[in-house]
Amino acid sequence: MKKIYIVLSLLLGFGLSSCEEEVTSVTLPYREQLVIRAVLQAGEKIEDIRVERTIPPLENYTVEKALVKDAVLIIEDGEQFDTLTYKNGFYNSKLTAQPGKLYKLYAYWKQHKAYGETIVPEPVSFDNVFVEFQKLFEGYYKASVYTYIAPNENYVYTAGISFDNIIYGNYDEIYTYSRRTSDNKLKIYFAYVGGNDTLVLKKRLNNYKFVILNYDKQYYDYFITRNNGNSDDDIFGNVGSNVRWNIKGDGIGMFIGSNIVAKKAKIN
């Protein structure tokens, strides 16, 4: 998730006719804001925080034009304050993101003040991975691969599989505390795979690590509104004004805690 760039753009279409008319002195409502991207990954240094500014809608976006290089960013973890340093497009802290801690970010640039806060989730615990086979047609099966966890109401979850340190996940599926079963467990699907031999499919699954990513539950507000204004599927992609960010004040964007657990597990 590192070095994910935030780009805000507005595409304006102008009709063409047989008569050309030059339009001058056009202005559109515009409020300059800071645009902040920060993911705090448990156990890793807090770094690669990106700060840009919104660009007037009649100007073409460029990274150089939007990039804010001289903001003052301060992170507080309840015990200490750290002023971040800027290098090569990103702000970096000396602090390491600790599971269970609440972090607050304060950003100052010119007359702008923005802030946000997030909890870095505790790791998820799971031991067994289950497989259900469904016969789609003669000689071909679909395997649904899942586990159960004890969810925390302050987090949301997504999952995938990992091979050669690359995570393949279904990030369009977010599991919330409200989806837990009658015994207070949350059923999470890692993957759906297909093949013509159930034993071969199980053997393939033994080559994978199983991955659960959990986020501060504020991520869910972003997730359910991310397509507003014709946004794309990237957590920090082009977005509309109705996306629910957790950066407040004179800014938009996300300051979000995350934890990733990737492990081998017994296949049942």
Side-chain angles (χ1 to χ4, degrees):
M1 301 181 185
K2 296 183 179 179
K3 299 187 179 179
I4 306 174
Y5 293 86
I6 303 175
V7 178
L8 298 183
S9 64
L10 179 61
L11 302 181
L12 304 177
F14 295 93
L16 298 178
S17 66
S18 57
C19 298
E20 294 185 1
E21 181 178 353
E22 183 178 353
V23 180
T24 59
S25 302
V26 175
T27 60
L28 292 175
Y30 165 66
R31 177 189 172 198
E32 185 179 65
Q33 292 179 289
L34 294 174
V35 184
I36 297 173
R37 189 277 294 145
V39 177
L40 278 61
Q41 177 59 47
E44 296 185 1
K45 283 285 185 68
I46 299 173
E47 57 186 9
D48 294 344
I49 294 178
R50 186 80 164 185
V51 181
E52 298 187 3
R53 66 181 182 92
T54 55
I55 300 298
L58 293 179
E59 291 186 21
N60 292 327
Y61 171 89
T62 66
V63 172
E64 188 60 32
K65 187 185 297 184
L67 189 61
V68 174
K69 304 176 182 179
D70 56 349
V72 175
L73 267 64
I74 299 171
I75 284 184
E76 173 194 356
D77 68 357
E79 299 176 2
Q80 54 188 325
F81 290 82
D82 182 41
T83 300
L84 279 64
T85 57
Y86 175 86
K87 184 178 180 181
N88 298 329
F90 297 94
Y91 291 83
N92 303 295
S93 171
K94 297 187 295 290
L95 302 179
T96 297
Q98 301 294 330
K101 270 196 172 183
L102 174 70
Y103 291 85
K104 297 181 180 181
L105 174 72
Y106 307 93
Y108 306 94
W109 181 68
K110 295 185 177 180
Q111 75 276 22
H112 302 307
K113 298 178 182 179
Y115 58 93
E117 63 179 48
T118 188
I119 293 175
V120 176
E122 300 280 358
V124 175
S125 176
F126 68 94
D127 295 311
N128 296 313
V129 173
F130 304 92
V131 181
E132 289 180 355
F133 292 101
Q134 177 186 0
K135 189 175 183 179
L136 297 183
F137 50 84
E138 189 62 36
Y140 192 84
Y141 298 87
K142 172 186 173 182
S144 300
V145 189
Y146 63 93
T147 192
Y148 292 95
I149 66 168
N152 186 312
E153 62 183 333
N154 295 314
Y155 310 149
V156 294
Y157 306 84
T158 187
I161 55 177
S162 174
F163 187 72
D164 286 341
N165 295 319
I166 300 174
I167 297 175
Y168 303 90
N170 180 14
Y171 303 119
D172 286 331
E173 185 75 41
I174 294 293
Y175 300 88
T176 63
Y177 184 77
S178 63
R179 294 176 61 176
R180 66 195 187 281
T181 60
S182 58
D183 59 352
N184 289 320
K185 298 293 185 180
L186 191 61
K187 186 178 184 179
I188 292 181
Y189 286 90
F190 293 106
Y192 304 94
V193 296
N196 56 14
D197 188 312
T198 58
L199 293 178
V200 171
L201 284 173
K202 273 196 171 184
K203 186 176 181 180
R204 280 174 52 195
L205 291 171
N206 286 321
N207 294 322
Y208 301 137
K209 287 184 178 178
F210 298 92
V211 182
I212 294 181
L213 303 89
N214 55 338
Y215 297 94
D216 179 342
K217 68 180 180 180
Q218 293 179 97
Y219 175 74
Y220 188 68
D221 284 339
Y222 159 77
F223 177 81
I224 62 176
T225 61
R226 71 196 191 285
N227 291 323
N228 291 356
N230 297 319
S231 67
D232 62 27
D233 289 335
D234 192 326
I235 180 173
F236 295 112
N238 298 331
V239 294
S241 60
N242 294 323
V243 176
R244 296 179 191 170
W245 302 111
N246 76 329
I247 294 293
K248 308 299 182 185
D250 302 320
I252 57 176
M254 294 194 73
F255 177 68
I256 203 76
S258 176
N259 201 323
I260 300 176
V261 172
K263 61 186 289 188
K264 292 276 191 176
K266 180 182 178 182
I267 307 297
N268 292 288

